[in-house]
């Protein structure tokens, strides 16, 4: 589990941070009285005993070599005790003195030694944790934290390590024991077969199950259905593994995915079978989700092509009708001329004005009238044969359910499934059509009147498939056994749990539990905001005003006036900062933050070779620069095999997130960071990257890509750090993902307000943000054209606000909101307490129609919140500028990422979502490293200026962005020499600034 060197390190004092120094090494008056009773103890003993008293709550034990305590600790305690800090060197020469002082300190603090009873309780704690986590390092740390909380002195590290090892072994045995009833002879044989090469596939079933699709094609859908059927033949969909903690299941499945068949064959059965069983159970859910998602994508792709075809047809139709329009203009000129008698109109039209030939030609070229959808469904009918290649198999393999709103549609799906099985060509009489939108019913009526069985079947089946796709998106239709498409009610707290959590939630977000009080507060906010806007409009000469017709005019903000001092200071700081290769920067930051220690082995393996950090840095740079492992192996001299193994077992989303949090936490503690912002404001935006090769996440978007590409959606604080990254399909609405990272924020960032551009705005988001006690502050394009809502009758609103009132064109249905107020709070509470993923709920609620009363109520509430925000935003130019400034911070980080991801023209070559996500997080991690390094050295440079008597105002520094790459070299040779790089740092642990300064 640990090397001898690591074990020795666990016995010594670690490095101490500023927060720990002040938290643990501040002596109270009673502490001083205990350490210095006034007799019998010399300076060395008093200082040594003080170190012991403060170290015990910090580490849970006191190292034998007390004199080796960090210098900052000794100096701080010596100042408090008024003794010479160098006296510590003579402390504890007798082991008996150290032992006696530890006993006294423990008794004074209320601590006790680890007896048999305490160790037994530790074993029970470790077993419970080992059932959730298999990482020995994590378990060792948890054991230390447990002993500190119990005020038990930590025994030697070997003793704790042995107990951790024992807990891991017992947890493995316990895991097998809990699942033993599943391991019948037949089940064991089936699991073993996963590791054998299948002649038909040319690979093992294990690898086959782990190979995802790269496109939404009929072949890909059928391949996933084949996997689904295979897993069901193993009864994987019926497995109930709830006897294991969720973290244990996740760990086992991760090991199964990342291990080769040969590695799993070598494992003893007690470890191999739980891994494989958990993997197939998780795969059953994931493959089912994949089938439904591919169905959605494939149908939507064909619908999109039909829309393009329809638009092309309409354009051609408009061209061919230009002559008829010109003729119509001529006819109207004659008919509308009052000087032409009625009896002469026909003669003029048929005679010299137009003539019979032109009239007959126009009549013969008449086009048939367009259907209500302008021919969209007719264009989609051209893809009927393509859709038939896979939709019957999807309907046969997937079972759909839904509420009363989807009853007719589900009945139609059942009929279509039966028609597919029997091979019938005719849709049965009486088959439901109520679910068919009005714009498409004309197709069915026309086909029925013409007696065309084939046409009716085509159009009815297309309507069923499109309605099923839409129902899955809104949640009206769900798939039992799915995670992504399950019953929406499963995403919400149960009524009983919500009752228990309601008071706590309302207290956390500051919302009244009763609707009348809450809506009265909303109306007060609305009237106050409208009053502010009324004042601005009354002035009549500002950037926000009314024109002569009473329409709202919003002049664009002028470019932000960055002080000339800030521009000059930025140039001067750039000249002062040292130059550093990106490799050196990562090595230096790891020395101060330890972020590379967050990369743990997915299988719980603990041995960390001296070369591991070197390999990790190479892998991070291979992904973040887009070089790839092959070219990185050539550039750094580390073999491809070693890099690939390191990436497979150490670099994954959870470890990348943990490392990113370590950097953000360090950045937050830097002296210069608060100058950039308080950390309470953040923003999110999408950044698009081209892709190479097929991928289910890639889409064609001619505005951004020559071929296809994807988006990464990132969340950025006002302190310039990125705390969230998600890969999304470039054509999907970004608004669905705005809340995900804010609610899942593990960086202890106190976000209370969030800015987006227009793409992040929906009425659902406005409503949910407010219900969660947050403020959504978007920069909305064409803000003057959005619909503003009032809560009173129109005459009353216009009387109260003569200028603003006429702009409020719709009245909000507050009765609907009041009737569902508790449901709305429960919805927000489910998100707040992590019961549901925001993007899933926001997507379904945004897609829901007015028949979904809860969604309708949320949108009504969101409309009122948007009106309040719009009024305040328009009334305060400084507020508008603040939002714009925050969004610009995100853009500067996008520019830094584009500079960093330079290889292969910045095109993402990873084809699967998991790999793309890992690359996106690597890019985020290295970007945050650049920002952190630059912020730290900016701070050192500013400190040097101020020390020399130069005045540098924080107001000027606030305009300088650390998203700065001029002093960092992303290119050239990549040599990862950790010891050599650290040796180049100055005595303070930093690179010298490019000025003459004795401090560095």
């Amino acid at each position: 589990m640990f090397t001898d060197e690591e074990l020795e390190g666990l016995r010594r004092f670690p490095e101490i941070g500023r927060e720990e120094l002040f938290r643990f090494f501040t002596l109270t008056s009673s502490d001083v009285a205990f350490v210095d009773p006034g007799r019998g103890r010399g300076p060395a003993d008093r200082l040594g005993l003080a170190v012991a008293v403060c170290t015990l709550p910090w580490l849970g034990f006191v190292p034998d070599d007390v004199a080796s305590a960090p210098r900052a600790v000794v100096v701080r305690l010596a100042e408090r005790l008024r003794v010479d800090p160098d006296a510590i060197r003579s402390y504890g020469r007798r082991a008996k003195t150290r032992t006696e002082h530890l006993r006294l300190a423990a008794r004074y603090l209320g601590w006790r030694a680890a007896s048999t009873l305490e160790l037994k309780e530790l074993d029970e704690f470790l077993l419970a944790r080992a059932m959730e986590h298999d990482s020995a390092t994590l378990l060792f740390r948890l054991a230390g934290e447990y002993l500190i909380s119990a005020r038990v002195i930590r025994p030697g590290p070997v003793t704790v390590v042995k107990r951790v090892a024992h807990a891991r072994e017992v947890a493995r045995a316990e895991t097998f024991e809990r699942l033993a009833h599943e391991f019948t002879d037949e089940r064991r044989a089936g699991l073993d077969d996963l590791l054998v090469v299948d002649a038909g596939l040319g690979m093992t079933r294990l690898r086959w199950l782990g190979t995802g699709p790269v496109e939404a094609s009929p072949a890909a859908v059928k391949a996933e259905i084949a996997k689904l059927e295979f897993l069901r033949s193993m009864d994987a969909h019926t497995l109930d593994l709830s006897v294991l903690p969720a973290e244990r299941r996740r760990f086992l499945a991760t090991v199964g995915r990342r291990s080769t068949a040969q590695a799993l064959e070598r494992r003893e059965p007690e470890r191999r079978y739980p891994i494989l069983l958990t993997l197939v159970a998780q795969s059953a859910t994931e493959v089912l989700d994949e089938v439904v998602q591919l169905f959605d994508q494939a149908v939507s792709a064909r619908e999109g092509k039909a829309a393009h075809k329809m638009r092309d047809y309409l354009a051609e139709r408009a061209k061919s009708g230009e002559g008829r329009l010109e003729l119509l203009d001529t006819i109207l000129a004659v008919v509308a001329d009052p000087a032409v008698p009625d009896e002469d109109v026909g003669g003029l039209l048929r005679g010299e004005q137009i003539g019979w030939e032109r009239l007959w030609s126009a009549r013969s070229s008449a086009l048939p009238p367009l259907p209500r959808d302008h021919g969209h469904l007719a264009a989609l009918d051209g893809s009927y044969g393509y859709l038939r290649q896979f939709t019957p198999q999807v309907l046969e393999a997937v079972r759909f359910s839904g509420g009363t709103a989807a009853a007719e549609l589900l009945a139609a799906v059942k009929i279509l499934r039966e028609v597919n099985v029997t091979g019938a060509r005719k849709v049965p009489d009486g088959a439901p059509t109520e679910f068919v939108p009005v714009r498409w019913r004309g197709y069915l009526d026309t086909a029925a009147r013409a007696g065309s069985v084939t046409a009716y079947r085509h159009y009815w089946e297309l309507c069923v498939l499109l309605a099923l796709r839409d129902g899955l998106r809104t949640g009206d239709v769900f798939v039992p056994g799915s995670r992504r498409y399950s019953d929406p009610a499963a995403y919400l707290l149960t009524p009983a749990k919500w009752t228990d959590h309601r008071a706590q939630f309302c207290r956390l977000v500051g919302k009244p539990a009763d609707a009348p009080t809450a809506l009265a507060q909303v109306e007060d906010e609305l009237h106050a905001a409208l009053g502010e806007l009324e004042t601005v409009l009354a002035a009549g000469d500002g950037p926000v005003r009314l024109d002569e017709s009473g329409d709202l005019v919003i002049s664009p903000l002028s470019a932000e006036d960055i002080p000339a001092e800030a521009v000059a200071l930025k140039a001067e700081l750039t000249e002062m900062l040292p130059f550093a290769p990106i490799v050196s920067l990562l090595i230096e930051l790891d020395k101060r933050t330890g972020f590379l220690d967050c990369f743990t082995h997915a299988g719980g393996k603990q041995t960390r070779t001296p070369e591991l950090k070197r390999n990790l840095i190479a892998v991070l740079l291979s992904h973040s620069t887009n070089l790839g492992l092959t070219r990185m192996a050539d550039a750094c001299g580390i073999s491809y095999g070693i890099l690939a193994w390191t990436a497979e077992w150490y670099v994954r989303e959870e470890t990348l997130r943990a490392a990113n949090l370590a950097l953000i936490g360090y950045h937050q503690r830097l002296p210069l960071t608060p100058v950039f912002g308080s950390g309470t404001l953040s923003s999110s935006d999408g950044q698009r990257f081209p892709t190479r090769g097929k991928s289910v996440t890639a889409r064609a978007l001619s505005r951004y890509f020559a071929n296809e590409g994807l988006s990464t959606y990132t969340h950025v604080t006002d302190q310039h750090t990125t705390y969230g990254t998600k890969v999304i399909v470039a054509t999907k609405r970004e608004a669905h993902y705005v809340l995900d990272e804010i609610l899942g924020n593990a960086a202890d960032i106190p976000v209370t307000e969030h800015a987006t551009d227009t793409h992040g705005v929906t009425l659902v988001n406005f409503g949910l943000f407010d219900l969660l006690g947050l403020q959504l502050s978007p920069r909305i394009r064409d803000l003057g054209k959005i619909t503003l809502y009032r809560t009173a009758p129109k005459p009353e609103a216009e009387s109260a606000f003569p200028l603003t009132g006429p702009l409020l064109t719709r009245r909000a249905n507050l009765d609907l909101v009041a009737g569902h107020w508790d449901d709305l709070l429960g919805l927000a509470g489910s998100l707040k307490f992590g019961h549901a993923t925001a993007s899933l709920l926001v997507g379904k609620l945004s897609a829901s129609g007015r028949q979904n009363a809860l969604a309708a109520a949320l949108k009504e509430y969101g409309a009122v919140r948007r009106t309040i925000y719009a009024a305040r935003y328009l009334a305060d130019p400084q507020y508008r500028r603040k939002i714009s400034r925050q969004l610009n911070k995100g853009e500067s980080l996008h520019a830094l990422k584009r500079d960093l991801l330079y290889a292969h023209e910045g095109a993402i070559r990873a084809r699967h979502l998991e790999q793309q996500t890992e690359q996106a997080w690597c890019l985020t991690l290295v970007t945050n490293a650049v920002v952190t390094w630059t912020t730290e050295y900016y701070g050192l440079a500013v400190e040097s200026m101020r020390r020399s008597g130069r005045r540098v105002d924080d107001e000027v520094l606030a305009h300088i962005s650390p998203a700065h790459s001029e002093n960092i070299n992303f290119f050239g040779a990549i040599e990862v020499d950790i010891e050599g790089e650290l040796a180049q740092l100055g005595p303070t642990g930093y690179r010298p600034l490019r000025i003459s300064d004795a401090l560095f």
Side-chain angles (χ1 to χ4, degrees), residues 275-486:
I275 290 172
L276 293 175
L277 188 72
T278 309
L279 178 60
V280 297
Q282 194 175 95
S283 296
T285 302
E286 292 175 351
V287 172
L288 177 59
D289 282 350
E290 203 70 63
V291 169
V292 180
Q293 181 178 341
L294 291 176
F295 164 78
D296 183 318
Q297 290 184 6
V299 171
S300 299
R302 285 291 153 166
E303 185 191 26
K305 287 187 176 182
H308 285 296
K309 184 177 178 181
M310 176 194 70
R311 285 193 288 269
D312 291 343
Y313 169 73
L314 292 176
E316 290 299 321
R317 180 185 172 103
K319 289 180 183 178
S320 64
E322 287 180 357
R324 292 170 59 82
L325 288 174
E326 183 181 351
L327 176 60
L328 176 61
D329 290 338
T330 305
I331 293 173
L332 289 174
V334 174
V335 173
D337 187 351
V340 178
D342 291 349
E343 60 272 15
D344 293 342
V345 170
L348 287 173
L349 295 179
R350 292 189 293 271
E352 57 189 43
Q353 290 285 344
I354 297 177
W356 278 107
E357 182 178 352
R358 190 177 176 190
L359 288 171
W360 279 108
S361 174
R363 184 180 180 187
S364 62
S365 62
L367 296 173
L370 288 172
R372 295 186 65 163
D373 71 339
H374 296 158
H376 188 188
L377 191 62
L380 182 60
D381 188 41
S383 298
Y384 180 79
Y386 176 90
L387 296 175
R388 287 285 300 172
Q389 293 180 50
F390 65 90
T391 53
Q393 291 89 334
V394 172
L395 297 183
E396 183 63 28
V398 181
R399 289 294 174 264
F400 301 98
S401 298
T404 54
E408 293 288 339
L409 172 59
L410 293 174
V413 170
K414 181 179 180 181
I415 291 172
L416 180 55
R417 185 185 295 120
E418 293 171 353
V419 168
N420 290 334
V421 171
T422 60
R425 298 179 59 189
K426 182 179 182 298
V427 177
D429 295 336
T433 59
E434 289 81 356
F435 62 89
V436 178
V438 174
R439 66 182 184 279
W440 290 338
R441 286 181 184 171
Y443 290 96
L444 299 179
D445 295 340
T446 301
R449 285 195 299 269
S452 176
V453 173
T454 301
Y456 191 91
R457 163 71 186 272
H458 282 206
Y459 291 132
W460 183 81
E461 184 169 349
L462 291 172
C463 289
V464 172
L465 296 175
L466 291 170
L468 180 60
R469 188 272 315 266
D470 294 340
L472 289 166
R473 289 181 175 181
T474 62
D476 292 334
V477 177
F478 51 87
V479 179
S482 167
R483 182 181 297 113
R484 198 178 310 157
Y485 301 95
S486 63

Side-chain angles (χ1 to χ4, degrees), residues 756-758 761 766 778-784 786 866 869-870 873:
T756 71
D757 58 13
T758 302
V761 179
F766 266 108
R779 182 175 60 192
I780 304 175
R781 184 176 59 247
D782 298 328
L783 181 58
I786 68 171
R866 185 180 67 176
Y869 168 74
Y873 181 84

Side-chain angles (χ1 to χ4, degrees), residues 575-610:
E575 291 297 321
M576 293 177 66
L577 259 60
F579 289 116
I582 186 64
V583 173
S584 306
L585 181 150
L586 294 178
I587 293 172
E588 185 179 344
L589 275 180
D590 178 61
K591 172 66 175 176
R592 290 196 283 277
T593 68
F595 76 94
L596 289 177
D597 293 329
C598 298
F599 291 93
T600 56
H601 193 282
K605 183 180 178 182
Q606 297 308 312
T607 303
R608 297 176 70 90
T609 64

Side-chain angles (χ1 to χ4, degrees), residues 124-195:
E124 293 174 353
F125 169 82
L126 284 174
L127 176 58
R129 300 290 76 75
M131 288 300 296
E132 300 172 350
H133 312 285
D134 197 63
S135 168
T137 305
L138 175 60
L139 291 174
F140 186 94
R141 179 169 62 80
L142 292 175
E145 292 174 357
Y146 168 79
L147 291 172
I148 289 175
S149 67
R151 296 197 173 193
V152 174
I153 301 173
R154 194 202 78 182
V158 173
T159 300
V160 180
V161 164
K162 288 181 178 179
R163 288 186 133 70
V164 167
H166 177 70
R168 293 176 74 201
E169 288 301 320
V170 173
R172 289 167 184 166
E174 178 71 13
T175 298
F176 183 82
E177 183 65 27
R178 293 187 186 186
L179 298 176
H181 64 282
E182 298 285 358
F183 300 131
T184 61
D185 292 340
E186 182 181 359
R187 176 65 57 71
R188 290 184 185 224
L191 294 175
D192 287 335
D193 285 344
L194 293 174
L195 309 179

Side-chain angles (χ1 to χ4, degrees), residues 484-519:
R484 198 178 310 157
Y485 301 95
S486 63
D487 184 355
Y491 300 139
L492 306 179
L493 292 167
T494 63
K497 287 185 177 179
W498 170 235
T499 300
D500 294 337
H501 287 84
R502 182 189 289 110
Q504 179 189 3
F505 172 75
C506 291
R507 185 172 60 254
L508 285 173
V509 300
K511 292 293 174 187
D514 61 299
T517 303
L519 296 183

